[in-house]
Amino acid sequence: MPDSVCKVISLRRRQEVAGMGGLSFLIYPWGLIVQGVALWHFVKRRPEGYWLWIIIFGGVLGAGVYVVAEMIPDLGLLRGTFQGFGRRSRIQNLEIQILDNPSAGNLENWRSFILSRRSMPRRGNC
């Protein structure tokens, strides 16, 4: 074969090989990342022991099943963390409740927040 034909054939083979694995760099690390996150959650939460085998031997698919079956339902446990109000907003909510219902319990809660903040209360009659 002439030398130029061999160069053309080798260039085509290189393009085919590069084309087949051209986007694999986008998929490859994510599988390991999902498995790592699933293993980290497994160690922190200690669910049933068979999940470890599913994560390790199931690869990305096993880790994905673990995420859907165990990690997503655990997000409900974080509801209080994400819905927790700060101290100032809690005081404002208590002040609104006091305007609506000036009961002894609401006033006591409001006063305890104010005194724990070590500042003078804004209302003189409480």
Side-chain angles (χ1 to χ4, degrees), residues 2-122:
D3 194 33
S4 62
V5 174
C6 290
K7 288 181 181 178
V8 170
I9 291 173
S10 67
L11 285 175
R12 285 188 182 168
R13 285 186 182 163
R14 287 184 195 158
Q15 289 174 348
E16 289 174 3
V17 170
M20 290 175 65
L23 296 177
S24 67
F25 69 93
L26 293 175
I27 298 170
Y28 170 69
W30 293 109
L32 293 177
I33 291 171
V34 170
Q35 275 187 306
V37 168
L39 284 172
W40 176 77
H41 185 267
F42 176 83
V43 169
K44 295 293 274 184
R45 298 288 299 169
R46 285 302 209 191
E48 298 294 326
Y50 59 83
W51 281 114
L52 180 64
W53 300 105
I54 291 173
I55 294 168
I56 292 174
F57 292 118
V60 178
L61 183 62
V65 168
Y66 177 80
V67 166
V68 169
E70 292 287 327
M71 288 178 67
I72 291 177
D74 281 350
L75 291 177
L77 298 174
L78 297 175
R79 184 175 299 135
T81 303
F82 292 124
Q83 289 182 349
F85 292 107
R87 187 171 194 80
R88 289 183 183 174
S89 62
R90 176 70 177 139
I91 291 173
Q92 289 173 352
N93 287 340
L94 276 172
E95 289 174 349
I96 292 170
Q97 286 178 1
I98 289 170
L99 291 175
D100 290 339
N101 181 17
S103 66
N106 288 341
L107 291 171
E108 184 179 342
N109 287 338
W110 177 75
R111 190 179 343 157
S112 67
F113 272 115
I114 296 298
L115 290 177
S116 67
R117 201 170 67 177
R118 298 190 194 279
S119 67
M120 296 301 292
R122 286 187 284 178

